[in-house]
Amino acid sequence: MTTRLDIVAYTVPKLTDYSTDSLTQAFEDTRRAFRDEQSAISSEADWKAFRDRWMARKSGILTQINEQLKAAPKEAKKELGQHLNELKRFIDEVTNAWREYVEVIPRRVAISGESVDISLPGVRRPIGAEHPVTKTRNEIVSVFQRLGYSVAEGPVVETDYYNFEALNFPPNHPARDTQDTLFIAGQHSKPQRERLLLRTHTSPVQIRTMEKMRPPIRIVIPGTVHRNDPPDASHSPMFHQIEGLAVDTNITFGDLKGTLDHAMKALFGSNVKTHFRPSFFPFTEPSAELYVTCFICGGSGKRGSDPCRPCKQTGWIEVLGCGMVDPNVFEFVKDNGYDPKKVSGFAFGAGIDRLALLKYGVDDLQYFFQGDVRFLRQFG
Ligand code: PHE
């Protein structure tokens, strides 16, 4: 009997070149062939033939590869062995899922004598892991929820007005140059404040929320933002921020310091110390950058006898920008109860991805956006 398997059947190539590139390529080909053959299975006979071809002790494909490993030159053995182990793991996972489909389920169905027995447990599928960025975001949100903050969100495609103008970046002001903005094309016929762009920060949602809610307010705003930065180990054109805003009568810089100090201890451990350095943002005055003692080296700047990289040996790590809401910002929402003579407030904005990098000791931001299960599985 011929099966559809014959159409795509794979033969193990004889390895002659043991360079990293060609080994990677060879194993990639093998995995692809395995997937192709597996997707051609349409009967139990197919399944058995497939299983024998790949897994038979005597001359299955895995055994053949194992023999090549024995014959390989000494220097290549380690690398080849690692590839082979990974291939085995991959094949194991896929076949376990298939065995469930083709061996276990039909047997259960046969025993029950019905085509569907709803009392049987379902097929177990691998459960995904929460993405490290999502995990970090949820943790920060819940720290603030416990302080009585609620969550607000806003659009990613934003107008010039909310992203810049109402945050006290006047048109053509050089402060706009600090955020490499991605503008939506074809907007020039509109007045500047209506032109669309990809929001460069979550701060526009401060204005949007104050337009809707009268003071007092306490909100956190998680979301994605975009900037025209080429991707590298610490930059990405899309990343995540979380913004905070508290407005009431008599909110002071002391409230800002106390709140953020508490939040950092809740996130990174009670030993962490905070430190504020003067900075500038058009929408806060005074403004500051918040530093925490490096939780990798504990503030010493050293890891054993090596320099600590995440804090560049300074013992301090910058985690966010913050400050007291600039009265000019309140002017834009004055009609909704935000008279700068009566209310005051503080705001902060943090990069979630950067915090996640630091928290989990990941050395390249790009891992967060590639969707590689081998990376993500480590957070399960
Ligand atoms: N929006 C600022 C940024 O993206 C951060 C910030 C938010 C600073 C709120 C102060 C207050 O860089």
Side-chain angles (χ1 to χ4, degrees), residues 179 200-201 203 206 227 241 243 281 283-284 321-323 347-349:
Q179 308 203 341
T200 55
H201 49 178
S203 306
Q206 290 188 27
R227 292 193 196 174
Q241 286 194 335
E243 188 92 7
F281 300 100
F283 40 94
T284 47
C322 58
F348 61 86

Side-chain angles (χ1 to χ4, degrees), residues 267-278:
L267 281 173
F268 299 119
S270 52
N271 291 333
V272 158
K273 292 196 183 69
T274 53
H275 168 66
F276 291 77
R277 282 186 207 170

